[in-house]
Amino acid sequence: SQQGEEDPQALSIQEGENATMNCSYKTSINNLQWYRQNSGRGLVHLILIRSNEREKHSGRLRVTLDTSKKSSSLLITASRAADTASYFCATDGIIQGAQKLVFGQGTRLTINP
Amino acid sequence: DVKVTQSSRYLVKRTGEKVFLECVQDMDHENMFWYRQDPGLGLRLIYFSYDVKMKEKGDIPEGYSVSREKKERFSLILESASTNQTSMYLCASSLNGRGSDQPQHFGDGTRLSIL
Protein backbone atom coordinates (compact mmCIF):
# COMPACT_ATOMS: atom_id res chain seq x y z
CA SER A 1 0.00 0.00 0.00
CA GLN A 2 3.03 2.30 -0.35
CA GLN A 3 2.08 5.61 -1.94
CA GLY A 4 4.84 8.15 -1.64
CA GLU A 5 8.42 7.57 -2.68
CA GLU A 6 11.11 10.04 -1.71
CA ASP A 7 14.06 10.99 -3.86
CA PRO A 8 16.96 11.01 -3.27
CA GLN A 9 17.33 8.28 -0.65
CA ALA A 10 20.25 10.18 0.86
CA LEU A 11 21.51 13.74 0.53
CA SER A 12 24.63 15.33 2.00
CA ILE A 13 25.25 19.07 1.77
CA GLN A 14 27.24 21.82 3.45
CA GLU A 15 25.77 23.96 6.18
CA GLY A 16 24.16 27.05 4.74
CA GLU A 17 23.20 25.41 1.43
CA ASN A 18 19.62 24.66 0.44
CA ALA A 19 18.30 21.09 0.54
CA THR A 20 15.58 19.82 -1.77
CA MET A 21 13.80 16.52 -1.36
CA ASN A 22 11.14 15.14 -3.66
CA CYS A 23 8.17 12.86 -3.19
CA SER A 24 6.23 11.11 -5.95
CA TYR A 25 2.99 9.24 -5.49
CA LYS A 26 0.79 7.04 -7.62
CA THR A 27 -2.89 7.80 -7.07
CA SER A 28 -4.90 10.95 -6.49
CA ILE A 29 -4.62 12.46 -3.04
CA ASN A 30 -6.57 14.85 -0.83
CA ASN A 31 -3.50 16.04 1.03
CA LEU A 32 0.18 15.35 1.57
CA GLN A 33 2.22 15.73 4.73
CA TRP A 34 5.93 16.01 5.46
CA TYR A 35 7.57 14.70 8.63
CA ARG A 36 11.06 14.80 10.11
CA GLN A 37 12.69 12.06 12.17
CA ASN A 38 15.86 12.60 14.13
CA SER A 39 17.99 9.53 14.72
CA GLY A 40 16.42 7.19 17.27
CA ARG A 41 13.37 9.40 17.80
CA GLY A 42 9.77 9.56 16.64
CA LEU A 43 8.46 11.50 13.66
CA VAL A 44 7.61 15.17 13.93
CA HIS A 45 4.99 16.76 11.70
CA LEU A 46 6.30 19.64 9.55
CA ILE A 47 3.68 20.69 7.01
CA LEU A 48 0.38 19.54 5.54
CA ILE A 49 -0.52 20.70 2.03
CA ARG A 50 -3.93 20.09 0.51
CA SER A 51 -4.56 19.04 -3.07
CA ASN A 52 -5.93 22.48 -3.98
CA GLU A 53 -2.78 24.24 -2.73
CA ARG A 54 0.37 24.67 -4.79
CA GLU A 55 2.82 26.00 -2.24
CA LYS A 56 3.13 26.38 1.50
CA HIS A 57 5.76 27.94 3.76
CA SER A 58 6.77 27.44 7.37
CA GLY A 59 9.88 29.27 8.50
CA ARG A 60 12.79 27.94 6.41
CA LEU A 61 10.61 25.21 4.90
CA ARG A 62 8.86 25.49 1.57
CA VAL A 63 6.63 22.74 0.22
CA THR A 64 5.25 22.58 -3.29
CA LEU A 65 2.65 20.25 -4.71
CA ASP A 66 2.09 19.47 -8.37
CA THR A 67 -0.96 17.23 -8.65
CA SER A 68 -0.61 16.94 -12.44
CA LYS A 69 2.81 15.33 -11.96
CA LYS A 70 1.81 13.60 -8.73
CA SER A 71 4.81 15.02 -6.95
CA SER A 72 5.79 17.26 -4.06
CA SER A 73 9.03 18.82 -2.97
CA LEU A 74 10.36 19.99 0.37
CA LEU A 75 12.94 22.77 0.33
CA ILE A 76 14.95 23.65 3.42
CA THR A 77 16.74 26.95 2.98
CA ALA A 78 19.95 27.99 4.73
CA SER A 79 20.45 24.52 6.21
CA ARG A 80 21.83 24.02 9.70
CA ALA A 81 23.50 21.05 11.39
CA ALA A 82 20.31 20.55 13.39
CA ASP A 83 18.42 19.83 10.15
CA THR A 84 20.29 16.52 9.91
CA ALA A 85 17.47 13.95 9.99
CA SER A 86 15.33 11.71 7.81
CA TYR A 87 12.42 13.34 6.03
CA PHE A 88 9.26 11.49 5.07
CA CYS A 89 6.30 12.35 2.92
CA ALA A 90 2.94 10.81 3.75
CA THR A 91 -0.13 10.67 1.55
CA ASP A 92 -3.65 9.46 2.09
CA GLY A 93 -4.13 5.90 0.93
CA ILE A 94 -6.56 3.10 1.50
CA ILE A 95 -5.62 0.41 4.02
CA GLN A 96 -8.16 -2.32 4.69
CA GLY A 97 -10.84 -0.13 3.15
CA ALA A 98 -10.13 2.85 5.39
CA GLN A 99 -8.42 6.10 4.49
CA LYS A 100 -5.07 6.24 6.24
CA LEU A 101 -1.71 7.94 6.02
CA VAL A 102 0.84 6.01 4.00
CA PHE A 103 4.49 6.91 4.50
CA GLY A 104 7.35 6.79 2.02
CA GLN A 105 10.75 5.37 2.94
CA GLY A 106 12.32 8.74 3.55
CA THR A 107 15.28 10.84 2.52
CA ARG A 108 18.25 10.82 4.88
CA LEU A 109 19.65 14.36 5.00
CA THR A 110 23.12 15.10 6.39
CA ILE A 111 24.27 18.68 6.92
CA ASN A 112 28.05 18.94 7.12
CA PRO A 113 29.47 21.79 9.25
CA ASP B 1 1.98 20.46 22.87
CA VAL B 2 0.77 16.93 22.45
CA LYS B 3 2.83 14.39 24.26
CA VAL B 4 2.81 10.74 23.25
CA THR B 5 4.70 8.57 25.69
CA GLN B 6 5.85 5.04 25.01
CA SER B 7 6.65 3.07 28.11
CA SER B 8 10.05 1.73 27.06
CA ARG B 9 12.76 3.04 24.72
CA TYR B 10 14.51 -0.32 24.55
CA LEU B 11 13.18 -3.80 25.25
CA VAL B 12 14.71 -7.25 24.93
CA LYS B 13 12.46 -10.31 25.03
CA ARG B 14 12.72 -13.99 24.19
CA THR B 15 11.03 -15.95 21.44
CA GLY B 16 7.59 -17.14 22.48
CA GLU B 17 7.08 -14.53 25.20
CA LYS B 18 3.95 -12.39 25.30
CA VAL B 19 5.08 -8.77 24.95
CA PHE B 20 3.16 -5.63 25.84
CA LEU B 21 4.05 -2.22 24.41
CA GLU B 22 2.25 0.68 26.06
CA CYS B 23 1.43 4.10 24.66
CA VAL B 24 -0.23 7.05 26.38
CA GLN B 25 -1.25 10.42 24.92
CA ASP B 26 -2.24 13.43 26.97
CA MET B 27 -4.34 15.53 24.57
CA ASP B 28 -7.65 13.68 24.49
CA HIS B 29 -7.07 12.50 20.92
CA GLU B 30 -9.58 10.05 19.55
CA ASN B 31 -7.30 8.34 17.05
CA MET B 32 -4.28 6.22 17.94
CA PHE B 33 -1.95 4.17 15.77
CA TRP B 34 0.79 1.56 16.02
CA TYR B 35 3.51 1.36 13.34
CA ARG B 36 6.66 -0.62 12.94
CA GLN B 37 9.67 0.83 11.18
CA ASP B 38 12.27 -1.33 9.45
CA PRO B 39 15.20 -0.34 7.23
CA GLY B 40 14.21 -0.42 3.59
CA LEU B 41 10.52 -0.90 4.41
CA GLY B 42 9.63 2.43 5.97
CA LEU B 43 6.70 2.76 8.37
CA ARG B 44 4.02 0.13 8.19
CA LEU B 45 0.70 0.40 9.98
CA ILE B 46 -0.09 -2.50 12.31
CA TYR B 47 -3.34 -1.47 14.01
CA PHE B 48 -5.28 1.70 14.68
CA SER B 49 -8.19 2.82 16.81
CA TYR B 50 -10.76 5.59 16.37
CA ASP B 51 -12.17 5.42 19.89
CA VAL B 52 -12.22 3.48 23.11
CA LYS B 53 -12.75 -0.26 22.61
CA MET B 54 -12.48 0.17 18.84
CA LYS B 55 -9.69 -1.34 16.77
CA GLU B 56 -8.99 -1.70 13.07
CA LYS B 57 -6.39 -3.78 11.26
CA GLY B 58 -3.67 -2.02 9.34
CA ASP B 59 -1.29 -3.36 6.74
CA ILE B 60 0.45 -6.00 8.85
CA PRO B 61 -1.71 -7.12 11.82
CA GLU B 62 -0.61 -10.76 11.83
CA GLY B 63 1.03 -11.77 15.10
CA TYR B 64 -0.21 -8.65 16.89
CA SER B 65 -3.27 -7.56 18.82
CA VAL B 66 -4.21 -4.29 20.51
CA SER B 67 -6.21 -3.05 23.44
CA ARG B 68 -7.82 0.32 24.02
CA GLU B 69 -9.68 0.27 27.32
CA LYS B 70 -9.15 3.99 27.99
CA LYS B 71 -9.05 6.84 25.52
CA GLU B 72 -5.52 7.91 26.37
CA ARG B 73 -3.93 4.45 26.28
CA PHE B 74 -3.31 2.15 23.33
CA SER B 75 -1.47 -1.10 23.93
CA LEU B 76 0.21 -3.31 21.34
CA ILE B 77 0.49 -7.00 22.20
CA LEU B 78 2.78 -9.53 20.59
CA GLU B 79 0.98 -12.75 21.40
CA SER B 80 4.01 -15.01 20.96
CA ALA B 81 7.09 -13.02 20.04
CA SER B 82 9.19 -14.15 17.12
CA THR B 83 12.58 -12.95 15.86
CA ASN B 84 10.99 -11.35 12.78
CA GLN B 85 9.18 -8.96 15.12
CA THR B 86 12.48 -7.35 16.09
CA SER B 87 11.89 -3.75 15.04
CA MET B 88 11.32 -0.14 16.05
CA TYR B 89 7.70 0.34 17.14
CA LEU B 90 6.14 3.78 16.93
CA CYS B 91 2.88 4.92 18.48
CA ALA B 92 1.02 7.97 17.17
CA SER B 93 -2.18 9.87 17.82
CA SER B 94 -4.33 12.38 15.95
CA LEU B 95 -7.25 14.51 16.97
CA ASN B 96 -10.33 12.90 15.45
CA GLY B 97 -12.10 11.94 12.25
CA ARG B 98 -11.58 9.03 9.94
CA GLY B 99 -9.71 10.82 7.20
CA SER B 100 -6.01 11.35 6.82
CA ASP B 101 -6.01 15.15 6.84
CA GLN B 102 -4.64 15.68 10.33
CA PRO B 103 -1.11 15.66 11.65
CA GLN B 104 -0.08 12.61 13.60
CA HIS B 105 1.90 13.04 16.80
CA PHE B 106 4.47 10.36 17.49
CA GLY B 107 6.14 8.92 20.53
CA ASP B 108 9.89 8.35 20.57
CA GLY B 109 9.54 4.69 19.75
CA THR B 110 10.39 1.39 21.39
CA ARG B 111 13.30 -0.54 19.93
CA LEU B 112 12.31 -4.15 20.52
CA SER B 113 14.72 -7.05 20.16
CA ILE B 114 13.47 -10.62 20.20
CA LEU B 115 16.19 -13.17 20.94
Side-chain angles (χ1 to χ4, degrees):
Chain A
S1 58
Q2 183 176 348
Q3 254 277 47
E5 289 188 14
E6 291 89 345
D7 171 59
Q9 290 189 349
L11 179 62
S12 181
I13 62 173
Q14 294 301 120
E15 195 167 16
E17 293 180 343
N18 295 342
T20 299
M21 290 156 274
N22 303 296
C23 171
S24 59
Y25 55 91
K26 297 183 177 65
T27 61
S28 297
I29 59 170
N30 295 310
N31 63 81
L32 184 145
Q33 302 183 35
W34 283 92
Y35 288 79
R36 183 188 77 234
Q37 183 180 33
N38 291 91
S39 180
R41 306 298 294 271
L43 279 71
V44 174
H45 180 260
L46 297 176
I47 286 185
L48 181 152
I49 186 165
R50 302 188 187 280
S51 59
N52 61 354
E53 297 175 309
R54 291 294 167 259
E55 191 169 306
K56 212 161 179 181
H57 297 254
S58 175
R60 293 183 296 113
L61 306 181
R62 172 179 167 244
V63 168
T64 61
L65 179 64
D66 187 336
T67 53
S68 66
K69 294 182 179 177
K70 292 187 170 59
S71 69
S72 174
S73 67
L74 170 66
L75 168 68
I76 303 174
T77 59
S79 63
R80 304 168 183 169
D83 295 326
T84 293
S86 291
Y87 292 83
F88 296 84
C89 68
T91 55
D92 46 351
I94 301 297
I95 298 175
Q96 301 279 359
Q99 192 178 50
K100 281 289 149 274
L101 268 186
V102 180
F103 290 82
Q105 293 191 28
T107 292
R108 190 169 64 255
L109 174 65
T110 302
I111 308 299
N112 301 304
Chain B
D1 267 359
V2 177
K3 188 159 179 63
V4 178
T5 303
Q6 294 184 230
S7 53
S8 304
R9 291 295 306 276
Y10 301 94
L11 207 53
V12 180
K13 295 291 182 181
R14 298 209 172 273
T15 303
E17 279 193 71
K18 190 168 186 176
V19 181
F20 293 85
L21 301 184
E22 306 288 346
C23 175
V24 176
Q25 50 92 5
D26 66 358
M27 282 301 290
D28 204 34
H29 281 182
E30 291 186 0
N31 303 334
M32 296 189 76
F33 309 85
W34 274 107
Y35 297 88
R36 63 176 284 177
Q37 184 176 26
D38 301 285
L41 296 176
L43 272 77
R44 292 180 291 168
L45 183 62
I46 306 171
Y47 266 98
F48 56 99
S49 169
Y50 290 128
D51 204 347
V52 177
K53 304 239 187 243
M54 293 183 66
K55 59 184 179 183
E56 304 282 347
K57 292 180 180 179
D59 256 344
I60 50 163
E62 295 78 19
Y64 303 94
S65 63
V66 289
S67 171
R68 194 161 180 207
E69 296 297 317
K70 294 186 178 182
K71 192 174 186 179
E72 67 270 20
R73 186 180 297 269
F74 194 34
S75 303
L76 179 69
I77 304 154
L78 285 66
E79 297 291 344
S80 176
S82 63
T83 54
N84 63 12
Q85 292 178 310
T86 291
S87 185
M88 170 74 120
Y89 289 86
L90 292 164
C91 175
S93 71
S94 66
L95 184 57
N96 56 26
R98 300 200 172 201
S100 57
D101 60 346
Q102 295 176 5
Q104 292 191 7
H105 302 266
F106 284 80
D108 275 340
T110 295
R111 190 166 293 280
L112 175 65
S113 296
I114 307 296
L115 305 179

